Amino acid sequence: MLVLAIDTATPAVTAGVVDVRTGRLTVLAERVTVDARAHGELLTPHVMDAVRDAGTSLDQLDAIVCGVGPGPYTGLRAGIVTATALSHALNIPAYPVCSLDAIAAGIDAGAPFLVITDARRREVYWAAYDGAGTRTDGPHVDRPADLDASLTERVEHAHPSPRGLVRAAREALLNDQPAAPLTPLYLRRPDVAQPGARKRVTVP
C-alpha cells in the first residue's frame, strides 16, 4: 500500500510517500520546508516531487493521510483542501489524523509527555500522552504558563513527519476502515470576521 502523507498544521509544509505494503512503514520520499507563509505555494510542488522521487505516480497511490491540526486557519485549509481534491480525483480514501498525534507517534519517550506546537498570540497547541504514545488529554490551546508543570518531558514546536502521520493512521489503513471526514481542528475562531453593519455618521 502506497500512502501519501501531508500536513500543513505547523509552519512546516510536509509531504511524503510511505510504503506500508509489507506491514512496515518505509518512507520512500519526503519534502519538508519550514515556512509559515508558503503552505499554499509549496504543498502541491512538494506532493509532486515526493511522488516522483518515490518512483511512482499519483494514480498508483492507495490512500492519503492528512494532518488536520490543531493549527491556524489558513495553513490547515491548504492541506485539507489539497487532500480532499486528490481523494476525489484519484478515488482513494483520505484519512484525518490529529497532527499532535502524528508528532507523538515518532517519539519513544517511555514516560508521559506533552507535544506542544506554536499557536501564535503567545499561546500553544498541546496534548498529553502516556509512555506508549496514546493521547490522554487534549488537544487544547492555552498559554504556556497554564500547562501541567508536573510533566517535565516535552516535545516543543515540532512538526509531523510523513512516517508519524502514517503511523498515527496505521490501524485504519491496515484494517481498510472507512475514512472519517477531514474536519479541521481549529480550536479557536479564525482571525478574519465578517464586518458588522456600518455606523450612521449623518443626522437625519
Side-chain angles (χ1 to χ4, degrees), residues 117-191:
T117 59
D118 186 8
R120 305 174 187 174
R121 305 182 193 171
R122 299 181 181 180
E123 293 180 323
V124 293
Y125 298 118
W126 67 274
Y129 298 84
D130 62 20
T134 300
R135 184 166 16 121
T136 58
D137 193 9
H140 302 291
V141 58
D142 284 302
R143 296 177 301 171
D146 294 335
L147 302 187
D148 187 349
S150 68
L151 292 174
T152 57
E153 194 72 30
R154 301 187 180 194
V155 178
E156 297 194 38
H157 306 304
H159 57 79
S161 67
R163 184 190 301 275
L165 288 160
V166 174
R167 182 174 290 169
R170 183 175 181 174
E171 182 177 349
L173 288 164
L174 293 180
N175 292 328
D176 199 25
Q177 295 178 4
L182 296 179
T183 303
L185 294 171
Y186 292 130
L187 299 191
R188 65 186 180 201
R189 293 183 178 182
D191 294 328

Side-chain angles (χ1 to χ4, degrees), residues 6-160:
I6 62 178
D7 186 272
T8 55
T10 73
V13 185
T14 300
V17 177
V18 181
D19 187 350
V20 295
R21 286 180 293 191
T22 62
R24 300 177 62 183
L25 304 183
T26 303
V27 179
L28 302 180
E30 63 182 297
R31 286 285 184 275
V32 179
T33 299
V34 179
D35 188 340
R37 299 177 180 271
H39 292 105
E41 176 185 354
L42 293 181
L43 182 57
T44 297
H46 277 16
V47 167
M48 300 308 296
D49 287 347
V51 169
R52 182 199 64 223
D53 291 350
T56 187
S57 58
L58 289 175
D59 60 1
Q60 296 300 308
L61 298 173
D62 298 295
I64 300 167
V65 172
C66 179
V68 294
Y73 177 80
T74 302
L76 276 185
R77 183 174 57 182
I80 290 174
V81 167
T82 299
T84 301
L86 288 172
S87 173
H88 285 307
L90 301 173
N91 194 28
I92 58 176
Y95 293 88
V97 297
C98 172
S99 300
L100 301 179
D101 291 353
I103 296 173
I107 298 169
D108 186 15
F113 63 98
L114 298 180
V115 172
I116 303 167
T117 59
D118 186 8
R120 305 174 187 174
R121 305 182 193 171
R122 299 181 181 180
E123 293 180 323
V124 293
Y125 298 118
W126 67 274
Y129 298 84
D130 62 20
T134 300
R135 184 166 16 121
T136 58
D137 193 9
H140 302 291
V141 58
D142 284 302
R143 296 177 301 171
D146 294 335
L147 302 187
D148 187 349
S150 68
L151 292 174
T152 57
E153 194 72 30
R154 301 187 180 194
V155 178
E156 297 194 38
H157 306 304
H159 57 79

